[in-house]
Amino acid sequence: MSDLKLFNTLTREKEPFVPLQPGEVRMYSCGPTVYNHPHIGNLRTFLWSDLLRRYLEYRGLRVTQVMNITDVEDKIIRNANAAGQDIRTYTAPYVDAFHDSLAKLRIRKADHYPRATEYVTEMVALVQQLTSRGHTYEADGSTYFRVATLPDYGKLSRVEIDTSSEYSRIEADEYEKESARDFVLWKAKKDNEPSWQTPLGEGRPGWHLECSAMAMDLLGETFDIHTGAVDLIFPHHENEIAQSEGTTGKPFVRYWVHGEHLNIDAQKMSKSLGNIYTIREIEEMGYDALALRYALLSVPHRTKLNFTTQSLDDAKAALARIESFLLRLDDVAKSAPHDAAHADEGGDALIGKFLGEFQEAMDDDLNTAGALGALFTFIRDANSAIDAGRISASDAAGIQAALMKVDPVLDLFPARERNLDAEIEALIAARNAARKARNFAESDRLRNELDARGILLEDTPAGTRWRRK
Ligand code: AMP
Ligand code: ZN
């Protein structure tokens, strides 16, 4: 197999991905700030982060993914005050809306969703360590990180430190993007703000601090992958590096993976611009979440995506083609003769080509456009082969098994429950075909896959029987 290559913002190069510990990947994704329903731009970012994790798993790696929930921040405090609620009560429905939107888009759950308000102790400890290493100073009850104490500050975003503004400090959670400045770690208490009584004084954490504290607590001082959209490169991720490496003296993250924005009329979709769509609004326009999933997936993460209803119509049409192909395959698997006239020219070559092209595309920095292109070429070629009577029932089962192999990555097949038994029968048929061809590596792989789906096989003289564990 070729290498999986990922574009690493730190080096500005596509690099072969090699995890720190063989077989295991630890990954952190910046999550939502819960003061509104997530819009489909946020969801685009969460979707490709999940896709990356799914593909790493496809490649046989075990992945631990952490995504934070920012539940204390300037806008949250402002809105909660306006609503006369505490921040826990105010954010609760938005935390639920976040999880609901992910589920609708078939984004799998991360292993941990730590919340900022539950990590105050760890954040305070981090600031204390930074202070003991000389990276901080205090002013008016707040604690700041002095960027000039870290010689390689700016290495991710490649911003220059503006030495003329040595004393210029920034305290807001919304930062300017141009110049590096001392940033706040711990904010002194203000009236009408939630606060914690800590050794740093009474106050609350700055926004950047939570990601360093949670990531290192749950994933270790150095871990493999950190994801987010490009707007987070500076200052958020630059400051995460400063806080973490300033504390440990070790590299914080090995691969920084950033995705481009979802735009609308060439402008970034954002809550502050008010040009947003939520998943509910997309559904009210008559599209289902799977069409949105397809539309978002069809553009690779490092390409800007201009959102249009045309892209949803195209997605709908593409999904319909997939569905009718699946139905046709079911028929062939049931009704075609077991050995079609020229079966050797049928399924195997098509399957090999498809899986090869799929992997090649995904290995190239998750080129989802290429991977979907491979899928539709496969469907077209298989349809012609069926038309020509070159696909036997066992070829059809093999094609179903190949589709099932990529399904855990793309997760685009409709009505998945409907054909669960047929999927299992198809995997068993593919395994028996592999055994017959003395391809024991493949038959073992399929047996393991069935095992992972909770299926027990029993080979009897009358054929293979199966039951659920
Ligand atoms: P927020 O809830 O604003 O903290 O954002 C959550 C995630 O969505 C972050 O990784 C942001 O960078 C990302 N994000 C925000 N706007 C967009 C957009 N228009 N397109 C893609 N990602 C976005
Ligand atoms: Zn973050």
Side-chain angles (χ1 to χ4, degrees):
M1 241 205 264
S2 58
D3 284 329
L4 163 62
K5 293 211 174 76
L6 293 175
F7 185 89
N8 186 351
T9 309
L10 196 58
T11 56
R12 305 288 196 273
E13 270 171 32
K14 270 188 210 170
E15 294 176 27
F17 175 73
V18 184
L20 197 55
Q21 300 212 313
E24 293 198 18
V25 182
R26 285 169 291 151
M27 139 176 195
Y28 185 92
S29 304
C30 284
T33 307
V34 279
Y35 71 96
N36 212 330
H37 290 257
H39 60 69
I40 61 174
N42 304 135
L43 293 170
R44 178 188 190 195
T45 299
F46 303 144
L47 182 60
W48 68 252
S49 297
D50 178 53
L51 179 81
L52 170 57
R53 168 183 162 180
R54 286 167 176 262
Y55 191 61
L56 292 165
E57 289 177 351
Y58 176 96
R59 305 263 335 203
L61 297 160
R62 282 228 316 264
V63 182
T64 306
Q65 187 189 17
V66 175
M67 180 176 277
N68 66 305
I69 293 183
T70 301
D71 61 355
V72 53
E73 175 266 1
D74 292 353
K75 289 187 287 289
I76 290 176
I77 294 169
R78 193 188 59 211
N79 293 2
N81 282 342
Q85 291 174 323
D86 62 60
I87 53 173
R88 187 87 190 182
T89 311
Y90 170 75
T91 55
Y94 301 120
V95 174
D96 290 346
F98 161 72
H99 287 298
D100 289 350
S101 298
L102 295 198
K104 279 192 167 168
L105 272 182
R106 300 184 177 178
I107 296 173
R108 287 187 5 200
K109 279 200 170 305
D111 298 278
H112 305 274
Y113 290 106
R115 292 177 179 218
T117 51
E118 290 168 357
Y119 260 80
V120 173
T121 310
E122 289 81 356
M123 291 193 252
V124 169
L126 201 64
V127 176
Q128 289 175 316
Q129 289 180 56
L130 286 171
T131 299
S132 71
R133 288 169 167 257
H135 290 300
T136 70
Y137 61 95
E138 209 196 300
D140 304 327
S142 294
T143 308
Y144 294 85
F145 189 100
R146 195 190 294 281
V147 297
T149 60
L150 211 61
D152 60 2
Y153 184 91
K155 69 180 170 187
L156 180 71
S157 58
R158 307 195 175 173
V159 296
E160 300 280 325
I161 298 189
D162 178 1
T163 46
S164 66
S165 64
E166 202 190 332
Y167 297 103
S168 126
R169 300 188 291 263
I170 184 115
E171 183 157 341
D173 284 333
E174 299 232 41
Y175 286 76
E176 297 157 38
K177 304 282 174 202
E178 296 80 35
S179 68
R181 305 226 232 130
D182 294 345
F183 60 91
V184 71
L185 297 162
W186 186 258
K187 301 181 178 197
K189 178 177 169 47
K190 286 195 196 131
D191 287 345
N192 297 321
E193 287 204 345
S195 62
W196 286 260
Q197 191 65 258
T198 76
L200 302 173
E202 194 175 357
R204 67 173 172 101
W207 167 43
H208 309 301
L209 192 57
E210 65 182 275
C211 288
S212 288
M214 293 166 176
M216 292 200 293
D217 184 59
L218 292 164
L219 298 173
E221 292 179 341
T222 302
F223 58 92
D224 297 294
I225 300 177
H226 196 313
T227 69
V230 288
D231 58 309
L232 297 187
I233 296 173
F234 184 83
H236 184 53
H237 290 162
E238 197 69 66
N239 291 351
E240 281 188 38
I241 294 176
Q243 295 162 154
S244 302
E245 299 190 355
T247 302
T248 67
K250 296 177 191 156
F252 175 45
V253 169
R254 301 171 63 243
Y255 299 84
W256 284 94
V257 181
H258 290 105
E260 268 296 342
H261 287 139
L262 182 126
N263 291 334
I264 191 145
D265 299 329
Q267 262 195 319
K268 179 189 168 195
M269 183 172 286
S270 78
K271 291 169 201 167
S272 51
L273 289 174
N275 59 353
I276 61 172
Y277 285 99
T278 62
I279 209 159
R280 232 210 9 246
E281 286 163 338
I282 299 292
E283 287 174 332
E284 283 165 6
M285 286 157 62
Y287 298 96
D288 68 21
L290 194 59
L292 178 62
R293 178 177 174 85
Y294 186 99
L296 295 177
L297 270 186
S298 64
V299 178
H301 67 291
R302 289 203 313 115
T303 305
K304 288 194 179 73
L305 192 166
N306 197 38
F307 178 72
T308 56
T309 49
Q310 181 65 45
S311 64
L312 291 173
D313 289 329
D314 293 346
K316 230 171 159 173
L319 289 170
R321 268 167 73 202
I322 294 176
E323 180 160 27
S324 66
F325 180 63
L326 292 175
L327 291 172
R328 188 172 192 203
L329 270 184
D330 271 352
D331 287 347
V332 179
K334 279 187 218 118
S335 59
H338 218 75
D339 291 299
H342 309 285
D344 54 337
E345 296 162 26
D348 286 358
L350 287 182
I351 291 167
K353 177 170 169 287
F354 164 55
L355 291 177
E357 287 172 1
F358 172 82
Q359 276 164 218
E360 196 184 327
M362 292 298 289
D363 278 348
D364 182 14
D365 201 27
L366 307 182
N367 177 2
T368 47
L372 289 171
L375 174 65
F376 283 102
T377 304
F378 181 50
I379 290 176
R380 190 196 61 209
D381 293 348
N383 269 325
S384 322
I386 295 171
D387 293 342
R390 283 192 285 119
I391 298 294
S392 67
S394 53
D395 282 334
I399 292 173
Q400 286 172 327
L403 292 171
M404 268 174 266
K405 189 156 187 245
V406 302
D407 182 43
V409 181
L410 298 175
D411 207 346
L412 286 171
F413 298 158
R416 294 150 56 72
E417 300 72 22
R418 195 196 55 204
N419 268 327
L420 226 49
D421 285 4
E423 285 180 17
I424 286 159
E425 306 270 354
L427 281 171
I428 292 172
R431 168 182 169 258
N432 289 347
R435 285 210 316 180
K436 215 165 133 196
R438 309 190 65 77
N439 182 352
F440 297 114
E442 178 65 2
S443 70
D444 285 350
R445 190 189 69 72
L446 289 163
R447 185 179 197 112
N448 290 340
E449 189 168 333
L450 284 158
D451 187 63
R453 289 176 178 231
I455 302 302
L456 279 181
L457 297 184
E458 194 191 341
D459 291 313
T460 73
T464 306
R465 299 223 180 96
W466 65 274
R467 64 188 166 81
R468 293 200 162 81
K469 281 190 242 179

